Amino acid sequence: MSTGKLRYSQIHHQVNTLKKASSPNLLFLDFDGVWIIPEGDYKAIIQRVNRLIQTYQMEVVLTTSHRTNMQGCINLLKACGFEGVISGRTELEGEKRAAQILNYLNQHDFHHFVILDDMWIDPLQDYLVHCNFYTGFDDKAYNEATRIMERQINS
């Protein structure tokens, strides 16, 4: 599915028709620029990730380019104090990240979701916390993630 061919309102319609109330909330997690940042306090960032996934009962889906080595990703996260469940990863080949996420959503049940990434993912911008490459998933980004989740819950 090419996101370039879908209009913004079509993306929202597609996402809303895929949601299932009894399914998990998802956190699409990139690494570089989100929690792997220059001179970063990785453990503090992972604590924010843990708080987010615990608050909203989220499962993590890896979108990072490092996802080719899933066990390495899991080990790295656990070493920094990650306490969540990694339920999968987006496809490794092919389309841009937006299309990979939409494909994942098409193939898996979910209720609500948020994306943490340092790249702009225009078609999914209402679900995206755009993290600054140098500050990563800081308090400001955490607050944005909670706003995105609350907006979905309350709509």
Side-chain angles (χ1 to χ4, degrees):
M1 163 184 324
S2 174
T3 56
K5 294 180 182 174
L6 291 175
R7 288 192 359 249
Y8 182 75
S9 61
Q10 290 174 307
I11 295 284
H12 280 278
H13 178 72
Q14 178 184 5
V15 166
N16 286 328
T17 59
L18 293 171
K19 289 182 177 186
K20 294 188 168 93
S22 62
S23 299
N25 292 323
L26 299 177
L27 174 64
F28 289 92
L29 181 63
D30 183 29
F31 280 17
D32 297 324
V34 174
W35 74 273
I36 298 178
I37 58 173
E39 302 178 26
D41 183 355
Y42 304 143
K43 291 187 180 195
I45 292 173
I46 291 299
Q47 286 175 350
R48 281 186 208 95
V49 170
N50 286 337
R51 188 172 35 170
L52 183 68
I53 62 178
Q54 288 166 0
T55 300
Y56 295 102
Q57 295 86 44
M58 302 176 98
E59 295 179 6
V60 172
V61 178
L62 298 180
T63 59
T64 177
S65 58
H66 302 287
R67 69 194 183 281
T68 56
N69 179 356
M70 280 295 285
Q71 193 56 53
C73 289
I74 292 168
N75 293 344
L76 185 58
L77 284 165
K78 296 282 184 194
C80 290
F82 178 75
E83 299 170 353
V85 172
I86 298 172
S87 62
R89 66 181 177 197
T90 56
E91 290 298 318
L92 300 171
E93 300 292 326
E95 312 240 6
K96 295 187 184 263
R97 192 153 298 169
Q100 292 171 352
I101 291 170
L102 285 170
N103 287 337
Y104 189 93
L105 293 172
N106 274 313
Q107 296 171 13
H108 299 85
D109 292 342
F110 70 98
H111 192 202
H112 304 298
F113 70 97
V114 69
I115 304 163
L116 302 182
D117 209 307
D118 66 321
M119 294 180 358
W120 282 106
I121 305 174
D122 287 330
L124 296 169
Q125 65 191 7
D126 283 352
Y127 306 95
L128 171 68
V129 175
H130 182 252
C131 297
N132 180 297
F133 182 80
Y134 295 99
T135 59
F137 190 57
D138 58 10
D139 286 331
K140 180 180 175 186
Y142 175 85
N143 291 335
E144 179 62 19
T146 61
R147 278 192 294 277
I148 291 169
M149 287 301 295
E150 290 298 323
R151 184 185 67 239
Q152 291 178 77
I153 291 166
N154 294 321
S155 65

